[in-house]
Amino acid sequence: MDEFERHGIGVVSGRDACARALRSPELTSDPGGGSPSVLLRDGEDHTRVRAVLREIIAGLEPLPESLRAGIETTVAALGTSFDLVRDFARPVAGAVTSAVLGVPLDDVFLDHLEATTANLDVFGGTDRAGQASAFRLAVQLSRTVAGPGGLTALREAHAAGRLDDDELTFTPVVLAHAAYENSLNFLACAGLELATSGPRTVRELVTAICPARYVLRFGPDGPVAISLADGLPFGLGRHACPGSGVAVAEGEIALTALAARLGPGSEVRDVRWKTHPIFHGLGRAVVTLS
């Protein structure tokens, strides 16, 4: 009995079946608890909040030149031995998340952002440390002085009546996590592929790695986990990732710069994988250049 079956969750697999499920009007993302999260909503409320998020993301399309240069500088500064997670993926994903929100983010913030992942699985999300980190981030962002970017845009949308109070509290954390977690996991895994298997395009890597493996939906027969690992890394339908263009652009810049650093005979050691049931990623992988 696997983890899904143990929790009474059905599984949909195979690309065609998953595509149909993601587009099905009979399956909803709303578990019925009245969550203010855009991830756990459907209907008019989901469409309204998603429209605000899409406007924010559009501000980074294409990626600003200063952000592109910052990513390239980060990768160029890697030494002859580095951890693909801590030294490569984390600072790049953090920089893009900072640009999305329009606020500087330090390591403490990123630590709490990573901790919220423990509270975002399909089996209930009851991790107390994850809950505490998510709450702390919500409070911190509510008090942060923001420049141009996502946090300011969310506050303006609230002032205009497009977001309610709960949505203003929760949406910055949801946006930050969406921008950071998948990028962190993808970049580290893609870097490992480049270091061990040689050149591949970013599109190939995104499809092969698929950092978010499942999404949860609720239907007349109970909850189902829909696999994204069969060629649907950004999902489909009304909940498709609105930031896919930014994610691909980020990957192309960072991984092109990393590929230029890697040479034949690069050694990879101390590879450790995360164990989260939904998010696929590395915990650590040390590359030593030849």
Side-chain angles (χ1 to χ4, degrees):
M1 178 182 292
D2 65 18
E3 196 73 10
F4 290 108
E5 185 179 356
R6 190 159 35 246
H7 287 79
I9 300 172
V11 177
V12 181
S13 59
R15 192 184 192 284
D16 291 344
C18 291
R20 288 194 299 271
L22 290 169
R23 292 189 171 113
S24 173
E26 296 183 357
L27 296 177
T28 177
S29 296
D30 187 351
S35 172
S37 171
V38 68
L39 301 178
L40 300 176
R41 283 181 161 182
D42 266 314
E44 293 181 0
D45 286 339
H46 169 262
T47 301
R48 172 175 50 79
V49 178
R50 181 183 170 90
V52 176
L53 294 177
R54 189 67 196 91
E55 292 168 9
I56 292 169
I57 294 165
L60 291 178
E61 296 175 335
L63 289 186
E65 186 56 40
S66 59
L67 180 56
R68 297 171 64 95
I71 292 172
E72 291 170 343
T73 298
T74 295
V75 180
L78 293 172
T80 57
S81 182
F82 54 88
D83 180 356
L84 282 168
V85 180
R86 183 194 65 220
D87 302 320
F88 168 63
R90 179 177 165 112
V92 172
V96 174
T97 304
S98 176
V100 169
L101 292 176
V103 297
L105 305 178
D106 59 18
D107 282 335
V108 174
F109 185 99
L110 297 182
D111 287 342
H112 283 290
L113 197 54
E114 290 180 31
T116 66
T117 301
N119 204 47
L120 292 171
D121 62 55
V122 300
F123 307 126
T126 57
D127 177 80
R128 290 188 176 182
Q131 290 176 337
S133 287
F135 178 76
R136 175 171 177 160
L137 293 181
V139 172
Q140 179 178 341
L141 289 172
S142 73
R143 298 171 176 172
T144 297
V145 176
L151 190 54
T152 293
L154 291 170
R155 291 170 179 172
E156 291 174 347
H158 175 259
R162 300 176 66 193
L163 299 177
D164 63 27
D165 292 346
D166 287 343
E167 290 163 350
L168 180 61
T169 299
F170 281 89
T171 303
V173 180
V174 172
L175 178 60
H177 185 272
Y180 179 76
E181 182 69 26
N182 285 329
S183 291
L184 173 75
N185 291 332
F186 168 67
L187 290 172
C189 291
L192 180 63
E193 284 289 321
L194 293 179
T196 57
S197 302
R200 295 176 70 181
T201 69
V202 170
R203 293 282 183 180
E204 290 173 336
L205 289 166
V206 168
T207 300
I209 292 167
C210 192
R213 290 297 175 92
Y214 295 93
V215 293
L216 190 64
R217 297 290 185 266
F218 303 87
D221 298 322
V224 294
I226 304 171
S227 174
L228 302 180
D230 294 312
L232 299 168
F234 296 115
L236 285 175
R238 59 194 180 277
H239 281 274
C241 174
S244 59
V246 170
V248 170
E250 172 189 2
E252 287 177 342
I253 296 164
L255 294 171
T256 297
L258 180 65
R261 292 296 315 272
L262 297 172
S266 295
E267 178 188 354
V268 182
R269 58 181 174 82
D270 198 14
V271 177
R272 307 177 195 175
W273 293 95
K274 295 179 179 178
T275 59
H276 195 278
I278 303 303
F279 297 104
H280 171 63
L282 281 168
R284 178 178 171 83
V286 177
V287 174
T288 299
L289 303 180
S290 57

